[in-house]
Amino acid sequence: MAHTYSTSVRVEAPADVVWQVLSDVERMPAWTGAMSRVTLLGPERAIVVGSRVEIEQPGLPAATWEVDGLTEGQGFSWSSSGTPGVRTGAAHRITPLPGAGPDGSAACDVTTVVARSGMLAGLTDLSAGPRGRELADALLADLKSEAELRARNKP
């Protein structure tokens, strides 16, 4: 049985700006407290399907994640088997809402879904789930702030 958590936020910024922020994973610690360190482990300097990424988050053990899905400008998913008996996956999706801003500017919804599966998923969700949900919420709140700041400062 999978244990799933989904959280969303409306961002008053164009989807391309949100994508620039979200997809530059190594810079995440510069704009969110939800990530302590993010390091691409391969030679590529941008995420692609197959990229391996080491992530440290406050209150959770470091883990290596692999990008297993990516649609340029729309989102990506990655997964980790860092805990024996558990597979954790996370997907980040950007859904444009053209003309949705109060002044007719573009906006979008951003959704993060985290799912744990495997024999020990329930136990892991009991111990690490609350912190993981808190970090997912913080990541989206900080993404909203950073993307909206960049959109306001865009020439």
Side-chain angles (χ1 to χ4, degrees):
M1 177 171 147
H3 297 263
T4 303
Y5 178 70
S6 178
T7 185
S8 296
V9 67
R10 180 183 169 124
V11 181
E12 300 297 332
D16 66 319
V17 172
V18 177
W19 176 249
Q20 290 169 358
V21 176
L22 182 63
S23 65
D24 189 1
V25 296
E26 284 192 305
R27 292 202 29 80
M28 283 180 168
W31 55 262
T32 181
M35 299 285 188
S36 304
R37 186 176 62 81
V38 179
T39 306
L40 284 162
L41 299 177
E44 63 276 343
R45 298 315 327 146
I47 59 169
V48 296
V49 171
S51 293
R52 294 181 59 238
V53 184
E54 188 171 86
I55 298 175
E56 290 181 15
Q57 294 182 275
L60 295 177
T64 300
W65 292 70
E66 183 172 332
V67 176
D68 49 28
L70 185 140
T71 303
E72 188 72 29
Q74 296 178 23
F76 66 92
S77 59
W78 46 11
S79 58
S80 175
S81 296
T83 303
V86 179
R87 181 149 192 86
T88 302
H92 309 281
R93 298 284 171 245
I94 301 166
T95 305
L97 303 170
D103 61 354
S105 62
C108 56
D109 285 330
V110 182
T111 301
T112 292
V113 178
V114 179
R116 286 189 183 85
S117 60
M119 290 179 55
L120 299 177
L123 182 60
T124 300
D125 200 54
L126 283 174
S127 63
R131 182 63 178 151
R133 289 186 285 277
E134 180 182 311
L135 291 169
D137 289 340
L139 176 74
L140 284 190
D142 294 341
L143 174 65
K144 173 183 174 61
S145 295
E146 181 68 14
E148 289 177 353
L149 177 67
R150 289 190 194 184
R152 282 192 303 272
N153 294 330
K154 195 174 183 180

